[in-house]
C-alpha cells in the first residue's frame, strides 16, 4: 500500500471516514524539489508523473463524508487565540519560503547582500527552521487548551500515533540526508544545484516526501494527544502543503 493510501486508511479507521480513491495502482514517480518540506531534485528540467504515491494527489476530496469532520470541528474553540495563531503559523511558513525563494531566484538580492549564495541560503534556512519550531510549538499549545477525543484517548491509539510519527520522521530525515542542508533549504533558488536527479529513497516511493512526512508527523502527534484540534490542524497542514505544491508547479 502506498503512503497516501496508508494515511487515509489509518484516519478512516479512527473516525469511520468513507473516502473513495481514483486509482488502486501504485505508479511511483520521482518528484521535483518543491521548497523546504518537499524535497526532490534540483536539476532542471523537473520530471513529475501522476501516481498514487504522489502524497494526497489521488484523493477525491469531493467524496469525503464531511459530517465526520463537522463532528470533529465541534470540539474546537475557533475563537481561541492560540488556535488561530497555530492556523496562521501553518499557513505562513510555505508562503514565506515560496515568496523568498522565487524572489531570490529572479533578483539574486540575498546573494548580493550576503556576498555568497551559500551564506544567503544558510541565513534563510535558519529563519525557516525557526519558523518551523514556532509552528510546532503553536500546534502543541493549541492542542493543550482544547478538549480530547475519547475515541483516541487510549493506549492503542497512542501507539498507533507513535508509529505514524516515526514513519513521518523517517521520510523527513531520509529526504534531508539525501538532499543535504542546501538542497533541502532552497539551494536551487540560490543557484546551487545538485549534480543529478535524486532517484533513491524516499523519492522513489512518493512525490514531496518531506511535505507528506511532515504531515504524517503532525497526524501522529495529534493522535498521540487524542486531540481533535490536532486532527483539524493536521488537515490544515495537508491543505496548505497541497496548495504550495500546486503553486510551485504553476510558476515553474
Amino acid at each position: 500500500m502506498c503512503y497516501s493510501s496508508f494515511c487515509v486508511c489509518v484516519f478512516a479507521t479512527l473516525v469511520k471516514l468513507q473516502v473513495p480513491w481514483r486509482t488502486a495502482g501504485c505508479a511511483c514517480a520521482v518528484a521535483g524539489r518543491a521548497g523546504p518540506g518537499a524535497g526532490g531534485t534540483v536539476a532542471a528540467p523537473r520530471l513529475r508523473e501522476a501516481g498514487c504515491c504522489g502524497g494526497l494527489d489521488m484523493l477525491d476530496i469531493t467524496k469525503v463524508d464531511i459530517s465526520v469532520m463537522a463532528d470533529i470541528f465541534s470540539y474546537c474553540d475557533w475563537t481561541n487565540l492560540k488556535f488561530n495563531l497555530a492556523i496562521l503559523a501553518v499557513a505562513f511558513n510555505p508562503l514565506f519560503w515560496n515568496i523568498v525563494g522565487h524572489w531570490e531566484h529572479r533578483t539574486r538580492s540575498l546573494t548580493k547582500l550576503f556576498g555568497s549564495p551559500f551564506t544567503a541560503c544558510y541565513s534563510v534556512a535558519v529563519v525557516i527552521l525557526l519558523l518551523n519550531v514556532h509552528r510546532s510549538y503553536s500546534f502543541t499549545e493549541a492542542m493543550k487548551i482544547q478538549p480530547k477525543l475519547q475515541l483516541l484517548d487510549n493506549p492503542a491509539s497512542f501507539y498507533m500515533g507513535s508509529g505514524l510519527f516515526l514513519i513521518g520522521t523517517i521520510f523527513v530525515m531520509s529526504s534531508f540526508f539525501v538532499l543535504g542542508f542546501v538542497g533541502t533549504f532552497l539551494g536551487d533558488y540560490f543557484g546551487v544545484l545538485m549534480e543529478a536527479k535524486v532517484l533513491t529513497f524516499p523519492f522513489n516511493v512518493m512525490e514531496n516526501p518531506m511535505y507528506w512526512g511532515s504531515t504524517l508527523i503532525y497526524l501522529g502527534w495529534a493522535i498521540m494527544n487524542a486531540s481533535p484540534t490536532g486532527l483539524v490542524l493536521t488537515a490544515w497542514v495537508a491543505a496548505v502543503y497541497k496548495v504550495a505544491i500546486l503553486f510551485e508547479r504553476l510558476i515553474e
Side-chain angles (χ1 to χ4, degrees):
M1 180 181 294
C2 69
Y3 163 77
S4 54
S5 301
F6 175 72
C7 290
V8 174
C9 286
V10 170
F11 192 73
T13 300
L14 293 173
V15 298
K16 298 181 180 178
L17 188 61
Q18 300 283 329
V19 182
W21 288 83
R22 294 178 183 146
T23 180
C26 188
C28 301
V30 177
R33 196 207 58 71
T41 178
V42 294
R46 296 182 175 91
L47 173 65
R48 300 182 185 277
E49 299 176 9
C52 76
C53 293
L56 301 180
D57 290 345
M58 306 309 297
L59 175 63
D60 187 354
I61 60 175
T62 63
K63 301 297 180 63
V64 173
D65 182 0
I66 61 174
S67 65
V68 176
M69 292 304 298
D71 291 338
I72 295 178
F73 287 161
S74 66
Y75 283 84
C76 302
D77 180 3
W78 295 84
T79 64
N80 182 269
L81 177 60
K82 290 186 176 181
F83 179 69
N84 284 279
L85 287 175
I87 291 176
L88 291 175
V90 168
F92 180 77
N93 287 16
L95 179 66
F96 171 80
W97 66 59
N98 271 295
I99 290 177
V100 171
H102 288 90
W103 172 64
E104 169 63 15
H105 181 69
R106 292 192 305 269
T107 67
R108 291 291 186 262
S109 296
L110 293 176
T111 297
K112 296 173 183 176
L113 175 64
F114 288 96
S116 165
F118 288 96
T119 304
C121 183
Y122 276 105
S123 299
V124 172
V126 170
V127 176
I128 292 173
L129 286 170
L130 291 175
L131 287 173
N132 287 342
V133 169
H134 177 262
R135 177 181 62 179
S136 297
Y137 172 78
S138 298
F139 188 103
T140 302
E141 288 297 305
M143 289 195 300
K144 286 182 179 179
I145 60 175
Q146 304 274 7
K148 290 190 174 185
L149 187 63
Q150 186 176 1
L151 176 66
L152 300 180
D153 196 10
N154 57 73
S157 295
F158 180 86
Y159 292 129
M160 177 178 290
S162 299
L164 296 174
F165 190 99
L166 178 60
I167 294 171
T169 301
I170 290 173
F171 279 118
V172 171
M173 295 306 298
S174 59
S175 300
F176 178 81
F177 285 127
V178 169
L179 295 173
F181 191 89
V182 174
T184 298
F185 292 101
L186 307 177
D188 53 340
Y189 291 115
F190 290 86
V192 183
L193 302 179
M194 299 182 70
E195 295 181 356
K197 183 181 292 291
V198 178
L199 301 174
T200 56
F201 180 85
F203 297 100
N204 59 351
V205 175
M206 72 174 73
E207 293 188 23
N208 307 296
M210 294 191 78
Y211 275 159
W212 303 124
S214 176
T215 303
L216 191 53
I217 289 173
Y218 282 116
L219 175 60
W221 188 234
I223 295 174
M224 290 168 67
N225 286 273
S227 174
T229 297
L231 295 177
V232 170
L233 289 174
T234 299
W236 178 233
V237 169
V240 168
Y241 278 156
K242 182 63 176 180
V243 171
I245 292 170
L246 294 175
F247 173 76
E248 289 156 1
R249 290 178 177 176
L250 179 65
I251 63 178
E252 284 180 356

